[in-house]
Amino acid sequence: MTRFLGLLFITLFLSACSSNDNWRTASREPAGIAPSPETEKAAVIEFYAADAFSWRGWFAVHTWVAVKSQNAPEYTVYEVVGWRVERGLPALYEYKTATPDRFWFGAKPEKVLSITGEKAQALIPKIEEAVKRYPWANEYTVFPGPNSNTFPAWIGLQVPELELDMPFSAIGSGYADNE
């Protein structure tokens, strides 16, 4: 009986801690922390991290990369998403947007790295080349990787001038050292 009550308590506790279990209704609104391409004409590189969706966010983050060349009207965002693989698509996803800082299914992102100006303009081609060489573009494994955190970490290793320091909770970022 004690074992049953303990299991019941843990189950209730864990289900009560989840802020939003429905990815369809979770916020994907811009967080307002990225420079607007309309006003910021200089080149921009941004790395973001947000708590992973649902209970995974208690201990892990999802990370992604956004770049905007000088005078570009939009950012190019690069991220790795596991459910794309489940649908027969590459895990590595690239898209254009004016708002690269959108909430990650209810979780507000934070900047991991931000570079603006001439240094960003010089590094963007190196990032784009590294993206093309990403060795796990069609793979995704939650743990130990490759996953969404492996990708930005790998970019950081390929472009050391970024001086990227991944968050401790970027589980799977160490997998990038395996290449």
Side-chain angles (χ1 to χ4, degrees):
M1 181 67 163
T2 305
R3 181 184 258 173
F4 173 76
L5 289 175
L7 184 59
L8 180 63
F9 173 76
I10 289 171
T11 302
L12 290 173
F13 174 75
L14 292 178
S15 64
C17 289
S18 180
S19 59
N20 187 351
D21 286 332
N22 188 344
W23 62 269
R24 289 181 179 97
T25 59
S27 176
R28 293 287 286 145
E29 293 298 313
I33 59 175
S36 169
E38 291 179 11
T39 57
E40 179 59 77
K41 299 303 178 186
V44 178
I45 298 170
E46 305 236 306
F47 283 66
Y48 295 99
D51 288 346
F53 180 69
S54 189
W55 59 269
R56 292 172 198 87
W58 297 341
F59 57 87
V61 293
H62 170 81
T63 54
W64 64 98
V65 182
V67 299
K68 182 189 82 65
S69 294
Q70 185 173 336
N71 297 317
E74 295 179 302
Y75 288 84
T76 301
V77 175
Y78 304 101
E79 66 184 325
V80 166
V81 183
W83 61 77
R84 290 178 51 82
V85 174
E86 295 169 9
R87 294 179 181 159
L89 300 168
L92 180 57
Y93 181 47
E94 174 183 332
Y95 61 95
K96 304 267 187 198
T97 182
T99 55
D101 59 346
R102 296 185 328 169
F103 276 60
W104 181 252
F105 297 97
K108 184 176 182 179
E110 294 182 11
K111 289 184 187 183
V112 173
L113 176 68
S114 182
I115 301 172
T116 306
E118 291 180 22
K119 182 178 180 182
Q121 189 64 28
L123 294 178
I124 288 172
K126 293 180 178 187
I127 292 171
E128 292 169 340
E129 268 308 304
V131 169
K132 292 176 189 173
R133 296 190 323 270
Y134 182 61
W136 304 288
N138 297 307
E139 299 175 46
Y140 186 94
T141 305
V142 172
F143 183 80
N147 61 31
S148 66
N149 298 315
T150 307
F151 172 69
W154 193 84
I155 296 296
L157 291 171
Q158 303 308 300
V159 187
E161 302 94 328
L162 290 167
E163 299 178 33
L164 177 63
D165 186 20
M166 293 291 285
F168 177 77
S169 55
I171 295 173
S173 60
Y175 192 88
D177 295 334
N178 294 334
E179 204 273 326

